[in-house]
Amino acid sequence: MGAVRETAVPVTGRVRRDHRGGGPGRPVRGHRLPAPVRLGRAAAGRARRRRRAGPPLVAQCVTAWYRDHDYYGVPWRGRWDTEGGGPTLGHGVHQMDLMLAVLGDWTEIRAMAGRLDRRVETEDVSTALVRFASGAMATVLNSVLSPREESYLRFDFTDATVELRHLYGYGDGDWTYTPAPHVPAETAAAWTAPGDEVPSSHLAQLSALLDCYERGERPPTSGPGGRQALEFVTGLYKSAFTARPVTRAELTPDDPFYHRLHGDVSGWAPSAAEAVP
């Protein structure tokens, strides 16, 4: 995918206004939001409701991918002005968005980021601890330094552990459900009953989008969901670069991170970023 302009949460402001206006709307594409992710959001929400595993309590969200030095030899990669962000934005957003689909709005994030090995302006790894409005807590890892690649999500509900392991795409068979000891066998069996499987893909999302247009319905890629993901990415960057906890409520238009994901922070903003020697 080609370069993108450096923007942050404002890209969703226009979409949010469109959302209030009614009609079918359009998908959010700012900052390379991944095509399969919104379909994944719908699938995760459907699974959560159908499985009835109780409220979520704990989660893990891992994007452990590998991009070598040659990958970042392309002039526009790893730069704020052309990619908008590092793996937190361009790679990990897939899994983080799916995590948000299950856990809902976040309230507080404590994060770290680093340039450990790649010659980039942005980060090549980030980690975070997150608290959600429901009280649930999660850990997040975004890496492009991991030779054994994997995308992994784990949700511990009161009645079950639900896990997704895959790499660059998944179907129903990639989800596993482990019941708590008190769950009846027939209930656990229902969680894994076959359903209408639609593997994640660009084609699947496009099909769902066109179906919504034909019915005059707003697609699941409309403003609020896209803004939720961008706010989370923005909060993670702000916490990592300022070395303090960040709340969702503080990401307002007068915040530099609202407009630029590096927030003009010395050592991370383009004018001050130093590549790994």
Side-chain angles (χ1 to χ4, degrees):
M1 183 175 291
V4 296
R5 291 191 305 160
E6 181 187 2
T7 57
V9 178
V11 73
T12 63
R14 295 186 298 273
V15 181
R16 185 168 56 178
R17 291 192 294 271
D18 292 344
H19 180 79
R20 289 196 297 263
R26 62 183 179 185
V28 177
R29 292 295 298 175
H31 267 319
R32 298 172 54 177
L33 281 179
V37 132
R38 295 296 156 185
L39 184 66
R41 274 180 159 259
R46 185 172 61 251
R48 181 182 56 183
R49 292 188 297 272
R50 185 176 64 188
R51 311 307 185 188
R52 297 178 181 176
L57 303 174
V58 182
Q60 299 174 41
C61 178
V62 175
T63 300
W65 291 2
Y66 188 78
R67 299 294 184 268
D68 61 16
H69 292 284
D70 289 342
Y71 177 86
Y72 287 105
V74 178
W76 57 265
R77 285 185 173 142
R79 296 173 54 88
W80 293 107
D81 61 347
T82 49
E83 285 210 279
T88 305
L89 174 69
H91 301 82
V93 69
H94 302 254
Q95 299 303 112
M96 293 187 295
D97 187 75
L98 191 49
M99 175 186 69
L100 293 169
V102 175
L103 299 183
D105 287 332
W106 62 280
T107 57
E108 181 182 352
I109 186 167
R110 300 166 184 248
M112 298 175 68
R115 299 187 197 99
L116 303 186
D117 193 64
R118 303 297 186 259
R119 291 180 175 272
V120 292
E121 283 185 344
T122 65
E123 83 288 3
D124 56 17
V125 64
S126 68
T127 65
L129 301 173
V130 190
R131 189 185 304 275
F132 290 82
S134 67
M137 293 187 286
T139 62
V140 176
L141 169 68
N142 302 300
S143 167
V144 289
L145 307 177
S146 306
R148 187 185 72 80
E149 296 185 288
E150 181 179 50
S151 298
Y152 176 63
L153 281 164
R154 172 175 174 146
F155 302 100
D156 291 314
F157 299 86
T158 55
D159 293 343
T161 293
V162 179
E163 297 172 275
L164 171 63
R165 292 184 183 274
H166 71 100
L167 186 62
Y168 309 138
Y170 58 88
D172 279 358
D174 296 305
W175 294 84
T176 61
Y177 303 84
T178 304
H182 64 268
V183 174
E186 59 272 18
T187 300
W191 292 342
T192 57
D196 296 329
E197 179 172 3
V198 181
S200 64
S201 69
H202 292 79
L203 177 60
Q205 190 206 32
L206 179 59
S207 297
L209 175 66
L210 293 176
D211 287 344
C212 288
Y213 280 155
E214 289 178 354
R215 294 192 297 266
E217 299 173 355
R218 185 170 299 279
T221 50
S222 292
R227 185 178 182 89
Q228 184 186 49
L230 287 175
E231 281 182 332
F232 185 81
V233 168
T234 304
L236 193 156
Y237 275 121
K238 181 175 181 179
S239 177
F241 295 168
T242 60
R244 68 171 181 82
V246 168
T247 64
R248 181 174 173 238
E250 69 185 76
L251 299 178
T252 57
D254 59 350
D255 189 324
F257 284 90
Y258 189 95
H259 304 278
R260 296 168 296 281
L261 290 178
H262 53 67
D264 298 323
V265 172
S266 176
W268 286 104
S271 61
E274 296 179 359
V276 175

